[in-house]
């Protein structure tokens, strides 16, 4: 298995960050196998969805409805509503596994790989890309 960590600057606001090109570059020289994308953080997730058409904003809005940034959370350090960031990975998991065929991710036509980060207290993230060959 080949593995590499990439750094992603998510900034100080909620973010759906497209990492599709980094994932594609990582598997480009490979044959068939599986790409595993993992975020080693308790407050971030990985999603496969259409980006750039408003879906990323829709996802953030839906997460805002499901997990409001208010004072209801028992896990209450950091910015207001920080506890919801610790609940989010139960909804948006911190990983995704994608088939790779002849060095290309076998994503659907409109699918992209995205890092989802609601934690405004941590502007730098790491993502581990691992390739398991056939």
């Amino acid at each position: 298995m080949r593995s590499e960590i990439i750094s992603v600057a998510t900034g100080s606001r909620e973010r759906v960050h497209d990492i599709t090109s980094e994932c594609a570059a990582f598997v480009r020289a490979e044959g068939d196998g599986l790409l595993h994308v993992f975020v080693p953080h308790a407050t971030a997730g990985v999603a496969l969805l259409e980006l750039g058409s408003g879906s990323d904003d829709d996802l953030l809005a839906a997460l805002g409805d499901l997990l409001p940034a208010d004072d209801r959370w028992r896990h209450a350090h950091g910015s207001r509503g920080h506890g919801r960031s610790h609940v989010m990975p139960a909804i948006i998991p911190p990983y995704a596994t994608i088939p790779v065929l002849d060095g290309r991710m076998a994503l659907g036509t409109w699918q992209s790989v995205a890092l989802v980060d609601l934690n405004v207290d941590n502007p730098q993230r790491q993502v581990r890309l691992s390739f398991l060959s056939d």
Side-chain angles (χ1 to χ4, degrees):
M1 179 174 73
R2 185 169 70 85
S3 190
E4 173 182 305
I5 291 179
I6 61 171
S7 291
V8 179
T10 56
S12 60
R13 64 182 177 87
E14 296 177 0
R15 186 104 188 256
V16 176
H17 186 86
D18 189 354
I19 58 170
T20 308
S21 62
E22 292 92 334
C23 293
F26 179 73
V27 300
R28 189 166 288 125
E30 304 294 345
D32 294 349
L34 294 173
L35 169 65
H36 189 72
V37 182
F38 175 70
V39 180
H41 299 283
T43 57
V46 176
L48 302 179
L49 74 159
E50 180 180 3
L51 296 174
S53 64
S55 298
D56 33 358
D57 291 332
D58 289 341
L59 177 58
L60 290 176
L63 289 171
D65 290 343
L66 287 170
L67 306 168
D70 58 21
D71 294 326
R72 74 183 68 202
W73 307 101
R74 289 183 185 97
H75 187 109
H77 70 83
S79 62
R80 185 170 191 256
H82 177 77
R84 75 191 191 118
S85 297
H86 287 274
V87 173
M88 190 208 57
I91 297 168
I92 309 283
Y95 60 86
T97 302
I98 303 157
V100 175
L101 302 172
D102 196 25
R104 297 183 71 191
M105 291 184 293
L107 292 170
T109 302
W110 302 111
Q111 283 181 318
S112 295
V113 184
L115 169 65
V116 180
D117 188 4
L118 299 182
N119 185 353
V120 299
D121 298 325
N122 189 349
Q124 245 349 91
R125 295 301 186 153
Q126 293 183 335
V127 179
R128 178 171 292 281
L129 305 178
S130 300
F131 181 77
L132 182 61
S133 62
D134 184 9

